[in-house]
Amino acid sequence: PRTGREGLNSTLRLLVNTLSIGSMSGEHVVYGFLRELLVSKDEASEVLILHCQGQPPPAELMALGARSIAVSNRLKKWFVRPLWELTRLPALLKQQRIDRVFNVSGAITPWLKVPQVSLGMNPWCYVSAARSGWKEEFKAFMQRRSYRYAFRNAEHMVYISRHLRDLYRQANADCTSDEAPSTIAYVGLDQVLYDSADRMSHSTRTPITVLSVSAFAPWKGVETLVRAIHLLRNNGTALNLSLVGPWPDKSYQEKIRGLVADLGLQDAVRIFGKVSVEELHHHYASHQVYCLMSNCESFGIPAAEAMAFGTPVVSSTDCAISEICAGAGLFGPSGDVEWTANALRELLETPSLWSECSEA
């Protein structure tokens, strides 16, 4: 409840600004947090979700009492949205009598008269290897500016990993004395996944198999993993790799397909693309090791999902996965083919280590 002339018993009205959500992983994070908030909130409080017309919140959230405010789909565009938030959002907040805004973009809107909390979940603008070309560099520059403003002026910052908070702090080292209060809030996994993991806990795993699940963008390090598979096969380990997930950048998919062909790995590397939830869970349960040598992850939901199935993880110390999956695998430098190959071999050929990581 808010304080003031209305007294302690008046309704707290929270606006959740979801206009910046542009991926399934973003929806997973935000709607997962909102689900818990709606279940546990005071009955007198209200949660209003601001969203684009073509991206409505899940019906489950509405059934839990959330209200929906839809705006034009053109606000999905990152260069249009800030202007709308500066010029139109203040009137909306006044009209809806909003007491607090929860932004999910890692930024806040300047000059709003209500307190703002911001959820940091995107490390992209802080990782130079994750972008190329002047357009992406300009977008990253603008994001860093907006994140810096939130870092100093938010009522509270929520980060989904220590790794991400460290990136914010490193980028704003000259103003850490002005840093907003912050909390680390790890992402949850849904109950459907845990139920599947329980049902499949005694499934037989296919020997010497590696799984990689992600939305395969150029910074995911797929070429490092493919080259590691090639190195291992040349040294007598007949390893097979499954790549499961969408390819937002089709040119990157063609690059990887070309690399697989050049290395003669057509029989060793299978590219599945996006699959159903049931198929995805089967992959987690049937492969021996999960691997993603990414250099840009603020959490690593697929790695955490693999961990829930008891599948050990090989990943990079250059992203948040080594923090999230600590104890459940081996972690080293992204881009290092030899280290990746050795880590995979060690897990696959050392039953005691595999069991220790699987149990963790």
Side-chain angles (χ1 to χ4, degrees):
R2 68 183 180 189
T3 59
R5 289 178 299 175
E6 297 83 2
L8 288 171
N9 294 322
S10 60
T11 302
L12 172 66
R13 296 171 65 83
L14 173 69
L15 181 79
V16 183
N17 182 352
T18 69
L19 299 181
S20 63
I21 296 180
S23 66
M24 289 179 62
S25 60
E27 290 182 348
H28 180 106
V29 173
V30 173
Y31 296 149
F33 285 145
L34 288 185
R35 187 179 301 110
E36 296 302 314
L37 174 64
L38 288 164
V39 168
S40 61
K41 75 175 182 65
D42 186 284
E43 288 185 6
S45 298
E46 292 189 64
V47 175
L48 295 82
I49 301 177
L50 179 65
H51 64 92
C52 291
Q53 291 172 341
Q55 198 171 13
E60 174 191 6
L61 298 187
M62 311 314 295
L64 289 172
R67 282 184 49 199
S68 167
I69 301 177
V71 293
S72 170
N73 285 331
R74 66 188 181 88
L75 298 184
K76 288 182 178 180
K77 298 178 179 179
W78 69 269
F79 53 87
V80 174
R81 187 169 58 250
L83 180 61
W84 183 92
E85 290 172 337
L86 280 172
T87 59
R88 304 291 296 277
L89 185 56
L92 176 64
L93 298 181
K94 184 176 181 180
Q95 176 191 15
Q96 296 291 337
R97 297 178 290 112
I98 299 299
D99 301 299
R100 181 169 277 103
V101 175
F102 182 45
N103 294 287
V104 304
S105 62
I108 62 174
T109 303
W111 308 309
L112 288 188
K113 295 182 179 180
V114 300
Q116 298 179 76
V117 177
S118 189
L119 174 65
M121 57 176 179
N122 182 8
W124 178 82
C125 70
Y126 293 131
V127 181
S128 58
R131 54 186 190 271
S132 61
W134 70 268
K135 290 183 179 179
E136 290 190 353
E137 290 294 346
F138 176 72
K139 180 180 178 180
F141 170 75
M142 296 302 292
Q143 281 186 334
R144 288 194 298 270
R145 283 178 58 110
S146 61
Y147 290 0
R148 179 182 178 88
Y149 184 82
F151 180 81
R152 300 180 65 182
N153 295 287
E155 180 190 37
H156 203 93
M157 292 293 299
V158 180
Y159 301 97
I160 62 174
S161 64
R162 290 193 303 275
H163 170 78
L164 184 58
R165 182 167 66 182
D166 288 345
L167 289 177
Y168 269 71
R169 286 176 171 174
Q170 291 163 12
N172 299 287
D174 60 323
C175 60
T176 52
S177 60
D178 298 328
E179 180 182 354
S182 64
T183 299
I184 305 298
Y186 288 141
V187 178
L189 303 177
D190 61 59
Q191 192 59 44
V192 171
L193 180 127
Y194 284 114
D195 292 342
S196 292
D198 286 342
R199 287 195 307 272
M200 299 179 181
S201 59
H202 300 295
S203 299
T204 300
R205 295 182 186 267
T206 306
I208 20 184
T209 53
V210 175
L211 171 69
S212 189
V213 177
S214 187
F216 292 113
W219 57 84
K220 300 292 185 172
V222 181
E223 51 269 82
T224 299
L225 177 53
V226 170
R227 291 186 183 280
I229 299 298
H230 180 249
L231 180 59
L232 287 168
R233 290 179 71 89
N234 280 349
N235 291 331
T237 303
L239 200 57
N240 291 297
L241 170 65
S242 298
L243 299 173
V244 177
W247 297 77
D249 185 337
K250 297 304 179 184
S251 64
Y252 185 57
Q253 182 181 23
E254 292 308 309
K255 175 182 176 181
I256 296 301
R257 287 187 181 277
L259 178 63
V260 169
D262 290 344
L263 297 177
L265 295 175
Q266 294 94 327
D267 295 334
V269 178
R270 298 184 66 188
I271 300 177
F272 287 87
K274 187 177 180 180
V275 299
S276 69
V277 171
E278 183 178 349
E279 290 176 282
L280 176 62
H281 293 175
H282 174 74
H283 282 298
Y284 284 136
S286 62
H287 286 74
Q288 282 195 291
V289 175
Y290 173 90
C291 183
L292 186 72
M293 297 308 297
S294 176
N295 56 24
C296 186
E297 304 290 330
S298 58
F299 186 83
I301 292 171
E305 290 178 341
M307 189 166 62
F309 280 81
T311 306
V313 174
V314 171
S315 191
S316 162
T317 52
D318 300 326
C319 68
I321 293 177
S322 59
E323 171 190 343
I324 303 306
C325 300
L330 302 176
F331 308 96
S334 62
D336 192 323
V337 173
E338 187 172 354
W339 182 91
T340 304
N342 288 336
L344 291 171
R345 180 191 292 114
E346 187 175 1
L347 267 174
L348 292 167
E349 297 181 358
T350 313
S352 59
L353 175 61
W354 188 95
S355 297
E356 178 185 336
C357 292
S358 178
E359 181 63 25

